[in-house]
Amino acid sequence: DTGVSQDPRHKITKRGQNVTFRCDPISEHNRLYWYRQTLGQGPEFLTYFQNEAQLEKSRLLSDRFSAERPKGSFSTLEIQRTEQGDSAMYLCASSLGGTPMNTEAFFGQGTRLTVV
Amino acid sequence: GNSVTQMEGPVTLSEEAFLTINCTYTATGYPSLFWYVQYPGEGLQLLLKATKADDKGSNKGFEATYRKETTSFHLEKGSVQVSDSAVYFCALSVHQGSARQLTFGSGTQLTVLP
C-alpha cells in the first residue's frame, strides 16, 4: 500500500497524559498537512509542512500541540496534557506540490483519539 | 473569513435517483473548490475539483460547476448507485489551484437503497 499511513488508528488515553501520532506520507510528496475532525463536522486545518519546514499553523493549534517533520519524510503530532475536548479524529494528508497540477491532497485513514 | 455551507443530511435515495448536494461558500480571494468523499472505513478521497469560475469538475458520473455569481459548487449525479453511499464534503482553498489549508463543510451523509 503506497497511500498515506497513520499510526495508531485508535488511541484511548487518560486526561492529562501526552500522546503522539505518526504520519507517513506518500514517499515523493513534499507537502504534509494535519487536520482534526470532530463528530459530525468536516476536517479543520491544523498545520502544514513543506519538506521539513512548518510553514503554516492554525490558531486551533494551541501550545499543547506540537508537530514535527524532522527529515521531510514522516511527521509526528504530539498533544501534551490531553483534555477531553481533544477527542477527535486526527487526519494527515500529503501532496506533491510544486505546480497547480500536482495539488491533490491524499488523506490517511486517521487516528481516532479518545480522552477519558 | 472562509467558510463552506453544505446541505444538511442525511440524504436517502433509491438506486438510479438523481442526486443534488448543495454547497455554498464565502472566501477571501479567489478560491479553488473541491468535493471529497469518505467511504465507510476509508480516508477522504478527492472526487472532483474546479479552480476558476464556470469550470466544471467531473468524475465517476458526478459533476459540479463553479458558480462565482452565486458562490456555489453543487454536486450532482444523474443516477446514483448503492456504491455511492458515503459522506460527501465540499471544501475550498484560497491558495489558487492548491489543496493547501482546505476549509471543509460539515459533510452530507448519503445512503442509496437498492
Side-chain angles (χ1 to χ4, degrees), chain A residues 15-45:
Chain A
R15 191 175 52 183
Q17 297 294 305
N18 299 343
V19 293
T20 300
F21 310 140
R22 177 179 170 123
C23 171
D24 286 273
I26 294 171
S27 60
E28 64 269 25
H29 285 185
N30 62 356
R31 293 181 176 178
L32 186 145
Y33 317 81
W34 285 99
Y35 285 80
R36 181 174 69 187
Q37 185 178 17
T38 53
L39 201 60
Q41 299 299 315
E44 297 172 295
F45 170 77

PDB file of all heavy atoms in Angstrom, chain A residues 15-45:
ATOM      1  N   ARG A  15      -7.059  11.731  30.659  1.00  0.00           N
ATOM      2  CA  ARG A  15      -6.870  13.176  30.672  1.00  0.00           C
ATOM      3  C   ARG A  15      -5.570  13.529  31.388  1.00  0.00           C
ATOM      4  O   ARG A  15      -5.251  12.957  32.430  1.00  0.00           O
ATOM      5  CB  ARG A  15      -8.049  13.834  31.397  1.00  0.00           C
ATOM      6  CG  ARG A  15      -8.123  15.333  31.276  1.00  0.00           C
ATOM      7  CD  ARG A  15      -9.378  15.841  31.935  1.00  0.00           C
ATOM      8  NE  ARG A  15      -9.507  15.342  33.302  1.00  0.00           N
ATOM      9  CZ  ARG A  15     -10.541  15.590  34.092  1.00  0.00           C
ATOM     10  NH1 ARG A  15     -11.560  16.311  33.624  1.00  0.00           N
ATOM     11  NH2 ARG A  15     -10.594  15.118  35.313  1.00  0.00           N
ATOM     12  N   GLY A  16      -4.810  14.418  30.782  1.00  0.00           N
ATOM     13  CA  GLY A  16      -3.553  14.834  31.372  1.00  0.00           C
ATOM     14  C   GLY A  16      -2.334  14.117  30.822  1.00  0.00           C
ATOM     15  O   GLY A  16      -1.203  14.569  31.027  1.00  0.00           O
ATOM     16  N   GLN A  17      -2.554  13.007  30.136  1.00  0.00           N
ATOM     17  CA  GLN A  17      -1.438  12.274  29.541  1.00  0.00           C
ATOM     18  C   GLN A  17      -1.025  12.909  28.216  1.00  0.00           C
ATOM     19  O   GLN A  17      -1.800  13.633  27.583  1.00  0.00           O
ATOM     20  CB  GLN A  17      -1.833  10.818  29.300  1.00  0.00           C
ATOM     21  CG  GLN A  17      -2.159  10.059  30.575  1.00  0.00           C
ATOM     22  CD  GLN A  17      -0.939   9.898  31.452  1.00  0.00           C
ATOM     23  OE1 GLN A  17       0.079   9.386  31.007  1.00  0.00           O
ATOM     24  NE2 GLN A  17      -1.028  10.332  32.695  1.00  0.00           N
ATOM     25  N   ASN A  18       0.194  12.602  27.794  1.00  0.00           N
ATOM     26  CA  ASN A  18       0.682  13.043  26.488  1.00  0.00           C
ATOM     27  C   ASN A  18       0.481  11.920  25.479  1.00  0.00           C
ATOM     28  O   ASN A  18       0.605  10.739  25.813  1.00  0.00           O
ATOM     29  CB  ASN A  18       2.169  13.392  26.558  1.00  0.00           C
ATOM     30  CG  ASN A  18       2.458  14.517  27.538  1.00  0.00           C
ATOM     31  OD1 ASN A  18       1.564  15.259  27.939  1.00  0.00           O
ATOM     32  ND2 ASN A  18       3.720  14.633  27.913  1.00  0.00           N
ATOM     33  N   VAL A  19       0.187  12.300  24.244  1.00  0.00           N
ATOM     34  CA  VAL A  19       0.049  11.310  23.178  1.00  0.00           C
ATOM     35  C   VAL A  19       0.811  11.804  21.954  1.00  0.00           C
ATOM     36  O   VAL A  19       0.978  13.006  21.741  1.00  0.00           O
ATOM     37  CB  VAL A  19      -1.423  11.057  22.795  1.00  0.00           C
ATOM     38  CG1 VAL A  19      -2.174  10.397  23.928  1.00  0.00           C
ATOM     39  CG2 VAL A  19      -2.104  12.329  22.340  1.00  0.00           C
ATOM     40  N   THR A  20       1.276  10.854  21.152  1.00  0.00           N
ATOM     41  CA  THR A  20       1.986  11.186  19.913  1.00  0.00           C
ATOM     42  C   THR A  20       1.452  10.316  18.794  1.00  0.00           C
ATOM     43  O   THR A  20       1.310   9.097  18.959  1.00  0.00           O
ATOM     44  CB  THR A  20       3.494  10.955  20.053  1.00  0.00           C
ATOM     45  OG1 THR A  20       3.992  11.789  21.099  1.00  0.00           O
ATOM     46  CG2 THR A  20       4.221  11.305  18.755  1.00  0.00           C
ATOM     47  N   PHE A  21       1.172  10.944  17.672  1.00  0.00           N
ATOM     48  CA  PHE A  21       0.697  10.236  16.489  1.00  0.00           C
ATOM     49  C   PHE A  21       1.739  10.362  15.394  1.00  0.00           C
ATOM     50  O   PHE A  21       2.443  11.366  15.297  1.00  0.00           O
ATOM     51  CB  PHE A  21      -0.613  10.837  15.972  1.00  0.00           C
ATOM     52  CG  PHE A  21      -1.670  11.027  17.013  1.00  0.00           C
ATOM     53  CD1 PHE A  21      -2.459  12.163  17.017  1.00  0.00           C
ATOM     54  CD2 PHE A  21      -1.890  10.079  18.003  1.00  0.00           C
ATOM     55  CE1 PHE A  21      -3.433  12.362  17.966  1.00  0.00           C
ATOM     56  CE2 PHE A  21      -2.869  10.263  18.959  1.00  0.00           C
ATOM     57  CZ  PHE A  21      -3.640  11.409  18.950  1.00  0.00           C
ATOM     58  N   ARG A  22       1.761   9.362  14.525  1.00  0.00           N
ATOM     59  CA  ARG A  22       2.717   9.379  13.431  1.00  0.00           C
ATOM     60  C   ARG A  22       1.989   9.344  12.105  1.00  0.00           C
ATOM     61  O   ARG A  22       0.953   8.679  11.961  1.00  0.00           O
ATOM     62  CB  ARG A  22       3.653   8.173  13.523  1.00  0.00           C
ATOM     63  CG  ARG A  22       4.635   8.085  12.367  1.00  0.00           C
ATOM     64  CD  ARG A  22       5.558   6.900  12.486  1.00  0.00           C
ATOM     65  NE  ARG A  22       6.317   6.707  11.269  1.00  0.00           N
ATOM     66  CZ  ARG A  22       7.655   6.689  11.233  1.00  0.00           C
ATOM     67  NH1 ARG A  22       8.371   6.849  12.339  1.00  0.00           N
ATOM     68  NH2 ARG A  22       8.282   6.510  10.081  1.00  0.00           N
ATOM     69  N   CYS A  23       2.547  10.032  11.120  1.00  0.00           N
ATOM     70  CA  CYS A  23       2.030  10.014   9.747  1.00  0.00           C
ATOM     71  C   CYS A  23       3.174   9.750   8.790  1.00  0.00           C
ATOM     72  O   CYS A  23       4.204  10.431   8.833  1.00  0.00           O
ATOM     73  CB  CYS A  23       1.363  11.349   9.417  1.00  0.00           C
ATOM     74  SG  CYS A  23       0.933  11.534   7.678  1.00  0.00           S
ATOM     75  N   ASP A  24       2.978   8.766   7.926  1.00  0.00           N
ATOM     76  CA  ASP A  24       3.918   8.520   6.835  1.00  0.00           C
ATOM     77  C   ASP A  24       3.246   8.906   5.528  1.00  0.00           C
ATOM     78  O   ASP A  24       2.298   8.245   5.101  1.00  0.00           O
ATOM     79  CB  ASP A  24       4.331   7.052   6.809  1.00  0.00           C
ATOM     80  CG  ASP A  24       5.286   6.722   7.934  1.00  0.00           C
ATOM     81  OD1 ASP A  24       6.494   6.908   7.732  1.00  0.00           O
ATOM     82  OD2 ASP A  24       4.810   6.310   9.023  1.00  0.00           O
ATOM     83  N   PRO A  25       3.725   9.974   4.897  1.00  0.00           N
ATOM     84  CA  PRO A  25       3.071  10.420   3.664  1.00  0.00           C
ATOM     85  C   PRO A  25       3.472   9.543   2.483  1.00  0.00           C
ATOM     86  O   PRO A  25       4.344   8.656   2.611  1.00  0.00           O
ATOM     87  CB  PRO A  25       3.631  11.830   3.488  1.00  0.00           C
ATOM     88  CG  PRO A  25       5.003  11.748   4.090  1.00  0.00           C
ATOM     89  CD  PRO A  25       4.872  10.810   5.260  1.00  0.00           C
ATOM     90  N   ILE A  26       2.876   9.783   1.357  1.00  0.00           N
ATOM     91  CA  ILE A  26       3.309   9.150   0.116  1.00  0.00           C
ATOM     92  C   ILE A  26       4.746   9.594  -0.159  1.00  0.00           C
ATOM     93  O   ILE A  26       5.063  10.793  -0.020  1.00  0.00           O
ATOM     94  CB  ILE A  26       2.355   9.510  -1.028  1.00  0.00           C
ATOM     95  CG1 ILE A  26       0.981   8.895  -0.731  1.00  0.00           C
ATOM     96  CG2 ILE A  26       2.897   9.048  -2.376  1.00  0.00           C
ATOM     97  CD1 ILE A  26      -0.129   9.330  -1.663  1.00  0.00           C
ATOM     98  N   SER A  27       5.584   8.680  -0.549  1.00  0.00           N
ATOM     99  CA  SER A  27       7.033   8.894  -0.451  1.00  0.00           C
ATOM    100  C   SER A  27       7.552  10.117  -1.211  1.00  0.00           C
ATOM    101  O   SER A  27       8.417  10.815  -0.723  1.00  0.00           O
ATOM    102  CB  SER A  27       7.793   7.647  -0.898  1.00  0.00           C
ATOM    103  OG  SER A  27       7.466   7.335  -2.233  1.00  0.00           O
ATOM    104  N   GLU A  28       7.046  10.417  -2.363  1.00  0.00           N
ATOM    105  CA  GLU A  28       7.604  11.538  -3.116  1.00  0.00           C
ATOM    106  C   GLU A  28       6.927  12.867  -2.812  1.00  0.00           C
ATOM    107  O   GLU A  28       7.270  13.906  -3.377  1.00  0.00           O
ATOM    108  CB  GLU A  28       7.533  11.256  -4.619  1.00  0.00           C
ATOM    109  CG  GLU A  28       6.127  11.141  -5.181  1.00  0.00           C
ATOM    110  CD  GLU A  28       5.590   9.725  -5.167  1.00  0.00           C
ATOM    111  OE1 GLU A  28       6.057   8.925  -4.328  1.00  0.00           O
ATOM    112  OE2 GLU A  28       4.702   9.425  -5.977  1.00  0.00           O
ATOM    113  N   HIS A  29       5.961  12.873  -1.895  1.00  0.00           N
ATOM    114  CA  HIS A  29       5.221  14.093  -1.588  1.00  0.00           C
ATOM    115  C   HIS A  29       6.009  14.985  -0.633  1.00  0.00           C
ATOM    116  O   HIS A  29       6.443  14.544   0.429  1.00  0.00           O
ATOM    117  CB  HIS A  29       3.867  13.752  -0.969  1.00  0.00           C
ATOM    118  CG  HIS A  29       2.879  13.244  -1.959  1.00  0.00           C
ATOM    119  ND1 HIS A  29       1.569  12.976  -1.616  1.00  0.00           N
ATOM    120  CD2 HIS A  29       2.991  12.963  -3.275  1.00  0.00           C
ATOM    121  CE1 HIS A  29       0.927  12.552  -2.696  1.00  0.00           C
ATOM    122  NE2 HIS A  29       1.774  12.522  -3.709  1.00  0.00           N
ATOM    123  N   ASN A  30       6.153  16.249  -1.000  1.00  0.00           N
ATOM    124  CA  ASN A  30       6.908  17.150  -0.137  1.00  0.00           C
ATOM    125  C   ASN A  30       6.008  17.986   0.776  1.00  0.00           C
ATOM    126  O   ASN A  30       6.489  18.637   1.696  1.00  0.00           O
ATOM    127  CB  ASN A  30       7.831  18.061  -0.963  1.00  0.00           C
ATOM    128  CG  ASN A  30       7.075  18.955  -1.922  1.00  0.00           C
ATOM    129  OD1 ASN A  30       5.853  18.861  -2.053  1.00  0.00           O
ATOM    130  ND2 ASN A  30       7.782  19.850  -2.574  1.00  0.00           N
ATOM    131  N   ARG A  31       4.709  17.948   0.555  1.00  0.00           N
ATOM    132  CA  ARG A  31       3.808  18.719   1.411  1.00  0.00           C
ATOM    133  C   ARG A  31       3.027  17.771   2.319  1.00  0.00           C
ATOM    134  O   ARG A  31       2.562  16.720   1.876  1.00  0.00           O
ATOM    135  CB  ARG A  31       2.829  19.539   0.572  1.00  0.00           C
ATOM    136  CG  ARG A  31       3.522  20.641  -0.215  1.00  0.00           C
ATOM    137  CD  ARG A  31       2.535  21.451  -1.000  1.00  0.00           C
ATOM    138  NE  ARG A  31       3.190  22.567  -1.688  1.00  0.00           N
ATOM    139  CZ  ARG A  31       2.573  23.414  -2.482  1.00  0.00           C
ATOM    140  NH1 ARG A  31       1.282  23.304  -2.687  1.00  0.00           N
ATOM    141  NH2 ARG A  31       3.237  24.396  -3.070  1.00  0.00           N
ATOM    142  N   LEU A  32       2.889  18.166   3.569  1.00  0.00           N
ATOM    143  CA  LEU A  32       2.183  17.334   4.538  1.00  0.00           C
ATOM    144  C   LEU A  32       1.299  18.223   5.400  1.00  0.00           C
ATOM    145  O   LEU A  32       1.700  19.317   5.802  1.00  0.00           O
ATOM    146  CB  LEU A  32       3.199  16.574   5.406  1.00  0.00           C
ATOM    147  CG  LEU A  32       2.637  15.543   6.391  1.00  0.00           C
ATOM    148  CD1 LEU A  32       3.584  14.358   6.516  1.00  0.00           C
ATOM    149  CD2 LEU A  32       2.336  16.155   7.735  1.00  0.00           C
ATOM    150  N   TYR A  33       0.093  17.735   5.676  1.00  0.00           N
ATOM    151  CA  TYR A  33      -0.916  18.516   6.392  1.00  0.00           C
ATOM    152  C   TYR A  33      -1.491  17.691   7.533  1.00  0.00           C
ATOM    153  O   TYR A  33      -1.660  16.483   7.408  1.00  0.00           O
ATOM    154  CB  TYR A  33      -2.080  18.873   5.464  1.00  0.00           C
ATOM    155  CG  TYR A  33      -1.702  19.335   4.078  1.00  0.00           C
ATOM    156  CD1 TYR A  33      -1.375  18.416   3.084  1.00  0.00           C
ATOM    157  CD2 TYR A  33      -1.676  20.683   3.755  1.00  0.00           C
ATOM    158  CE1 TYR A  33      -1.042  18.824   1.814  1.00  0.00           C
ATOM    159  CE2 TYR A  33      -1.346  21.103   2.475  1.00  0.00           C
ATOM    160  CZ  TYR A  33      -1.026  20.173   1.507  1.00  0.00           C
ATOM    161  OH  TYR A  33      -0.685  20.593   0.242  1.00  0.00           O
ATOM    162  N   TRP A  34      -1.833  18.364   8.618  1.00  0.00           N
ATOM    163  CA  TRP A  34      -2.598  17.749   9.697  1.00  0.00           C
ATOM    164  C   TRP A  34      -3.948  18.475   9.806  1.00  0.00           C
ATOM    165  O   TRP A  34      -4.009  19.720   9.764  1.00  0.00           O
ATOM    166  CB  TRP A  34      -1.869  17.858  11.027  1.00  0.00           C
ATOM    167  CG  TRP A  34      -0.715  16.913  11.184  1.00  0.00           C
ATOM    168  CD1 TRP A  34       0.617  17.180  10.998  1.00  0.00           C
ATOM    169  CD2 TRP A  34      -0.784  15.543  11.595  1.00  0.00           C
ATOM    170  NE1 TRP A  34       1.378  16.073  11.259  1.00  0.00           N
ATOM    171  CE2 TRP A  34       0.551  15.044  11.634  1.00  0.00           C
ATOM    172  CE3 TRP A  34      -1.819  14.677  11.950  1.00  0.00           C
ATOM    173  CZ2 TRP A  34       0.863  13.736  12.001  1.00  0.00           C
ATOM    174  CZ3 TRP A  34      -1.514  13.381  12.317  1.00  0.00           C
ATOM    175  CH2 TRP A  34      -0.191  12.917  12.346  1.00  0.00           C
ATOM    176  N   TYR A  35      -4.999  17.655   9.973  1.00  0.00           N
ATOM    177  CA  TYR A  35      -6.344  18.174  10.177  1.00  0.00           C
ATOM    178  C   TYR A  35      -6.948  17.461  11.381  1.00  0.00           C
ATOM    179  O   TYR A  35      -6.547  16.355  11.726  1.00  0.00           O
ATOM    180  CB  TYR A  35      -7.236  17.887   8.958  1.00  0.00           C
ATOM    181  CG  TYR A  35      -6.972  18.759   7.758  1.00  0.00           C
ATOM    182  CD1 TYR A  35      -5.900  18.488   6.901  1.00  0.00           C
ATOM    183  CD2 TYR A  35      -7.789  19.849   7.463  1.00  0.00           C
ATOM    184  CE1 TYR A  35      -5.649  19.299   5.803  1.00  0.00           C
ATOM    185  CE2 TYR A  35      -7.547  20.656   6.358  1.00  0.00           C
ATOM    186  CZ  TYR A  35      -6.473  20.373   5.545  1.00  0.00           C
ATOM    187  OH  TYR A  35      -6.230  21.172   4.451  1.00  0.00           O
ATOM    188  N   ARG A  36      -7.949  18.091  11.967  1.00  0.00           N
ATOM    189  CA  ARG A  36      -8.704  17.478  13.056  1.00  0.00           C
ATOM    190  C   ARG A  36     -10.176  17.448  12.668  1.00  0.00           C
ATOM    191  O   ARG A  36     -10.699  18.440  12.137  1.00  0.00           O
ATOM    192  CB  ARG A  36      -8.524  18.275  14.349  1.00  0.00           C
ATOM    193  CG  ARG A  36      -9.263  17.690  15.539  1.00  0.00           C
ATOM    194  CD  ARG A  36      -8.928  18.446  16.796  1.00  0.00           C
ATOM    195  NE  ARG A  36      -9.475  19.797  16.791  1.00  0.00           N
ATOM    196  CZ  ARG A  36      -9.209  20.699  17.730  1.00  0.00           C
ATOM    197  NH1 ARG A  36      -8.388  20.402  18.711  1.00  0.00           N
ATOM    198  NH2 ARG A  36      -9.744  21.893  17.658  1.00  0.00           N
ATOM    199  N   GLN A  37     -10.821  16.314  12.947  1.00  0.00           N
ATOM    200  CA  GLN A  37     -12.242  16.170  12.604  1.00  0.00           C
ATOM    201  C   GLN A  37     -13.015  15.681  13.813  1.00  0.00           C
ATOM    202  O   GLN A  37     -12.728  14.600  14.334  1.00  0.00           O
ATOM    203  CB  GLN A  37     -12.406  15.190  11.435  1.00  0.00           C
ATOM    204  CG  GLN A  37     -13.839  15.067  10.942  1.00  0.00           C
ATOM    205  CD  GLN A  37     -13.957  14.131   9.753  1.00  0.00           C
ATOM    206  OE1 GLN A  37     -13.066  13.337   9.468  1.00  0.00           O
ATOM    207  NE2 GLN A  37     -15.053  14.226   9.024  1.00  0.00           N
ATOM    208  N   THR A  38     -13.979  16.478  14.255  1.00  0.00           N
ATOM    209  CA  THR A  38     -14.848  16.044  15.340  1.00  0.00           C
ATOM    210  C   THR A  38     -16.130  15.489  14.748  1.00  0.00           C
ATOM    211  O   THR A  38     -16.470  15.740  13.594  1.00  0.00           O
ATOM    212  CB  THR A  38     -15.141  17.195  16.312  1.00  0.00           C
ATOM    213  OG1 THR A  38     -15.639  18.308  15.554  1.00  0.00           O
ATOM    214  CG2 THR A  38     -13.881  17.618  17.048  1.00  0.00           C
ATOM    215  N   LEU A  39     -16.858  14.757  15.569  1.00  0.00           N
ATOM    216  CA  LEU A  39     -18.029  14.014  15.098  1.00  0.00           C
ATOM    217  C   LEU A  39     -19.049  14.943  14.460  1.00  0.00           C
ATOM    218  O   LEU A  39     -19.431  15.968  15.033  1.00  0.00           O
ATOM    219  CB  LEU A  39     -18.652  13.276  16.283  1.00  0.00           C
ATOM    220  CG  LEU A  39     -19.547  12.092  15.925  1.00  0.00           C
ATOM    221  CD1 LEU A  39     -18.764  11.038  15.164  1.00  0.00           C
ATOM    222  CD2 LEU A  39     -20.160  11.502  17.189  1.00  0.00           C
ATOM    223  N   GLY A  40     -19.461  14.615  13.243  1.00  0.00           N
ATOM    224  CA  GLY A  40     -20.482  15.390  12.563  1.00  0.00           C
ATOM    225  C   GLY A  40     -19.987  16.662  11.915  1.00  0.00           C
ATOM    226  O   GLY A  40     -20.787  17.445  11.394  1.00  0.00           O
ATOM    227  N   GLN A  41     -18.683  16.862  11.937  1.00  0.00           N
ATOM    228  CA  GLN A  41     -18.105  18.068  11.340  1.00  0.00           C
ATOM    229  C   GLN A  41     -17.107  17.698  10.261  1.00  0.00           C
ATOM    230  O   GLN A  41     -16.618  16.569  10.190  1.00  0.00           O
ATOM    231  CB  GLN A  41     -17.404  18.907  12.408  1.00  0.00           C
ATOM    232  CG  GLN A  41     -18.326  19.390  13.514  1.00  0.00           C
ATOM    233  CD  GLN A  41     -19.431  20.279  12.969  1.00  0.00           C
ATOM    234  OE1 GLN A  41     -19.209  21.164  12.149  1.00  0.00           O
ATOM    235  NE2 GLN A  41     -20.659  20.029  13.415  1.00  0.00           N
ATOM    236  N   GLY A  42     -16.794  18.679   9.421  1.00  0.00           N
ATOM    237  CA  GLY A  42     -15.742  18.467   8.450  1.00  0.00           C
ATOM    238  C   GLY A  42     -14.380  18.660   9.087  1.00  0.00           C
ATOM    239  O   GLY A  42     -14.264  19.233  10.168  1.00  0.00           O
ATOM    240  N   PRO A  43     -13.344  18.186   8.435  1.00  0.00           N
ATOM    241  CA  PRO A  43     -11.993  18.375   8.962  1.00  0.00           C
ATOM    242  C   PRO A  43     -11.635  19.855   9.079  1.00  0.00           C
ATOM    243  O   PRO A  43     -12.071  20.679   8.272  1.00  0.00           O
ATOM    244  CB  PRO A  43     -11.107  17.689   7.915  1.00  0.00           C
ATOM    245  CG  PRO A  43     -12.009  16.729   7.217  1.00  0.00           C
ATOM    246  CD  PRO A  43     -13.352  17.391   7.198  1.00  0.00           C
ATOM    247  N   GLU A  44     -10.819  20.170  10.108  1.00  0.00           N
ATOM    248  CA  GLU A  44     -10.328  21.539  10.297  1.00  0.00           C
ATOM    249  C   GLU A  44      -8.808  21.522  10.194  1.00  0.00           C
ATOM    250  O   GLU A  44      -8.141  20.696  10.830  1.00  0.00           O
ATOM    251  CB  GLU A  44     -10.729  22.061  11.672  1.00  0.00           C
ATOM    252  CG  GLU A  44     -12.224  22.178  11.888  1.00  0.00           C
ATOM    253  CD  GLU A  44     -12.535  22.516  13.330  1.00  0.00           C
ATOM    254  OE1 GLU A  44     -12.250  21.684  14.204  1.00  0.00           O
ATOM    255  OE2 GLU A  44     -13.051  23.626  13.576  1.00  0.00           O
ATOM    256  N   PHE A  45      -8.284  22.458   9.437  1.00  0.00           N
ATOM    257  CA  PHE A  45      -6.842  22.532   9.217  1.00  0.00           C
ATOM    258  C   PHE A  45      -6.107  22.858  10.508  1.00  0.00           C
ATOM    259  O   PHE A  45      -6.510  23.743  11.263  1.00  0.00           O
ATOM    260  CB  PHE A  45      -6.559  23.616   8.172  1.00  0.00           C
ATOM    261  CG  PHE A  45      -5.116  23.965   8.004  1.00  0.00           C
ATOM    262  CD1 PHE A  45      -4.276  23.134   7.291  1.00  0.00           C
ATOM    263  CD2 PHE A  45      -4.596  25.123   8.562  1.00  0.00           C
ATOM    264  CE1 PHE A  45      -2.938  23.461   7.129  1.00  0.00           C
ATOM    265  CE2 PHE A  45      -3.270  25.457   8.407  1.00  0.00           C
ATOM    266  CZ  PHE A  45      -2.430  24.615   7.693  1.00  0.00           C
TER     267      PHE A  45
END
